Amino acid sequence: MANRGPSYGLSREVQEKIEQKYDAELESRLVNWIIVQCGEQIEHPPPGRQHFQTWLMDGTLLCKLINSLHPKGNEPIAKISESKMAFKQMEQISQFLKAAEIYGVRTTDIFQTVDLWEGKDMAAVQRTLMALGSLAVTKDDGCYKGDPFWFHRKAQQNG
């Protein structure tokens, strides 16, 4: 978390409005999907926005997630670091975001690194993961793992 004091007035109101968009039920679904999708022994975080943020904050799980949506040998992120250095962790979040956009997540559905890193807008992080899950279910290319009913299928584009 950034070393910022408490916010007051308008900035506090804005932050509270952002926090109201966070969905605890959706958090549970996303955590379950990430654990199933990554297919490893990943520890389930305790429920809550801050635990969800801490769980994803180093970018490792996000990189493993986007890699798991590609066939073996075709993963977009070659090296996933488990570094404790802040800039490395933020770099991994950025790599995930770039890979998610290439995968097909719309730019408007992509969160900013600070949304996750500083916990500024965890609802935006949820939105990105929902869009990614929906795309994975829609692509139906055999890489998606998990319950297909966890996400809505995207309408197919006429192209």
Side-chain angles (χ1 to χ4, degrees):
M1 296 293 272
N3 293 330
R4 287 205 173 87
S7 54
Y8 299 97
L10 186 60
S11 59
R12 179 183 211 123
E13 284 178 36
V14 169
Q15 190 59 40
E16 285 173 355
K17 207 166 236 159
I18 288 169
E19 288 173 5
Q20 287 172 0
K21 292 181 180 175
Y22 187 81
D23 183 338
E25 212 172 286
L26 177 57
E27 171 197 303
S28 174
R29 188 179 346 152
L30 291 170
V31 165
N32 289 334
W33 174 52
I34 291 168
I35 290 171
V36 169
Q37 184 65 42
C38 292
E40 298 177 22
Q41 288 301 317
I42 298 169
E43 202 167 309
H44 211 284
R49 178 194 343 254
Q50 282 190 313
H51 295 294
F52 188 58
Q53 176 201 2
T54 304
W55 193 60
L56 296 175
M57 199 168 107
D58 68 1
T60 306
L61 279 176
L62 294 174
C63 290
K64 288 178 180 178
L65 176 64
I66 195 72
N67 278 353
S68 73
L69 294 173
H70 292 78
K72 276 271 183 260
N74 211 12
E75 297 93 342
I77 300 170
K79 188 176 185 307
I80 300 173
S81 162
E82 299 212 4
S83 174
K84 299 286 177 229
M85 295 167 67
F87 79 94
K88 279 283 189 200
Q89 294 178 350
M90 286 190 264
E91 192 177 272
Q92 282 195 163
I93 295 168
S94 293
Q95 287 178 312
F96 162 77
L97 295 172
K98 205 172 292 165
E101 197 168 346
I102 291 166
Y103 188 76
V105 177
R106 292 188 326 231
T107 315
T108 53
D109 286 335
I110 301 243
F111 67 86
Q112 302 294 309
T113 302
V114 295
D115 292 337
L116 173 56
W117 181 254
E118 295 180 7
K120 288 259 182 228
D121 189 354
M122 290 305 292
V125 174
Q126 288 185 321
R127 236 183 353 268
T128 300
L129 293 171
M130 275 302 291
L132 185 64
S134 293
L135 260 172
V137 167
T138 305
K139 283 188 179 197
D140 200 18
D141 58 5
C143 292
Y144 175 83
K145 299 177 189 98
D147 188 330
F149 296 105
W150 282 343
F151 301 100
H152 298 292
R153 287 185 180 272
K154 297 258 185 205
Q156 295 295 318
Q157 300 284 323
N158 294 332

